[in-house]
């Protein structure tokens, strides 16, 4: 099975890449142009692009069996990040999947997605934008799974 993982250089994405490789999947990492790839994953096929670039995104998703969307806005003073990444970015990826005929999509979202009263929403209403991204995926066009992890840590315990 050949899978593409967007957001592969992020805190969650690179763990997904590691697990997929251990399970024997053929992996294509899709990352932003300025992303840093961990040393142990540098030998894996990596495509650098902007989600705004339809042609590059379409080419990156060709010949793929499944897409794991692990993109996510980072906490920042730029409060537009969640709208741009967790809603519009997901939308752009789904449109690309439709164009190339990719049906299997796994979206890594967040615990408490959709809740208005939550501390995470202090960062640009991130949980509301994540809910919109989830809703965009829930169509008949895709065989989809949404994962809502919570309490992720950067160390293994």
């Amino acid at each position: 099975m050949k899978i593409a993982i967007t957001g592969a250089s992020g805190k969650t994405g690179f763990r997904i890449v590691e697990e997929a490789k251990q399970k024997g999947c053929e992996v294509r990492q899709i990352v932003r142009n300025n992303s840093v790839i961990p040393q142990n994953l540098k030998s894996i096929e990596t495509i650098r692009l902007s989600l705004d670039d339809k042609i590059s995104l379409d080419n990156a998703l060709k010949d793929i069996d499944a897409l794991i969307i692990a993109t996510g806005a980072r906490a920042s003073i730029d409060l537009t990040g969640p709208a741009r990444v967790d809603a519009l970015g997901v939308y752009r990826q789904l449109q690309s999947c439709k164009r190339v005929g990719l049906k299997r999509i796994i979206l890594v979202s967040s615990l408490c997605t959709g809740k208005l009263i939550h501390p995470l929403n202090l960062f640009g209403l991130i949980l509301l934008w994540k809910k919109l991204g989830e809703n965009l995926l829930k169509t008949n066009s895709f065989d989809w799974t949404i994962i809502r992890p919570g309490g992720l840590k950067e160390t293994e315990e």
Side-chain angles (χ1 to χ4, degrees):
M1 171 174 268
K2 187 166 188 174
I3 60 173
I5 302 166
T6 55
S9 64
K11 294 176 184 177
T12 302
F14 91 88
R15 298 289 180 146
I16 296 169
V17 172
E18 287 177 328
E19 289 293 320
K21 286 303 288 181
Q22 286 179 1
K23 300 289 184 197
C25 294
E26 190 177 343
V27 175
R28 179 177 293 162
Q29 302 179 104
I30 301 174
V31 299
R32 292 172 299 169
N33 290 319
N34 60 351
S35 292
V36 176
I37 303 295
Q39 190 64 35
N40 64 324
L41 302 179
K42 287 192 176 189
S43 64
I44 296 171
E45 180 183 10
T46 303
I47 297 179
R48 296 177 179 277
L49 55 79
S50 167
L51 295 178
D52 299 337
D53 183 344
K54 290 180 184 179
I55 294 170
S56 294
L57 185 55
D58 289 358
N59 287 334
L61 295 179
K62 286 181 181 169
D63 303 319
I64 293 293
D65 299 308
L67 169 63
I68 299 175
I69 300 174
T71 54
R74 299 175 190 254
S76 167
I77 59 170
D78 176 6
L79 298 181
T80 66
R84 286 184 294 103
V85 176
D86 296 302
L88 184 58
V90 169
Y91 173 79
R92 287 180 173 148
Q93 291 176 75
L94 297 177
Q95 292 303 304
S96 183
C97 288
K98 286 180 184 177
R99 288 190 297 271
V100 301
L102 179 54
K103 299 288 185 192
R104 182 70 179 117
I105 315 291
I106 300 166
L107 174 64
V108 181
S109 187
S110 176
L111 188 69
C112 300
T113 296
K115 292 192 180 209
L116 178 60
I117 308 301
H118 193 282
L120 285 176
N121 279 328
L122 296 173
F123 302 102
L125 300 174
I126 192 167
L127 296 175
L128 298 180
W129 292 114
K130 283 190 175 292
K131 181 65 173 175
L132 179 58
E134 287 182 7
N135 289 342
L136 292 167
L137 176 59
K138 295 178 183 179
T139 69
N140 293 332
S141 300
F142 302 110
D143 172 17
W144 57 268
T145 300
I146 296 171
I147 299 171
R148 290 183 172 172
L152 297 175
K153 296 182 180 180
E154 292 187 37
T155 58
E156 292 187 34
E157 292 178 14

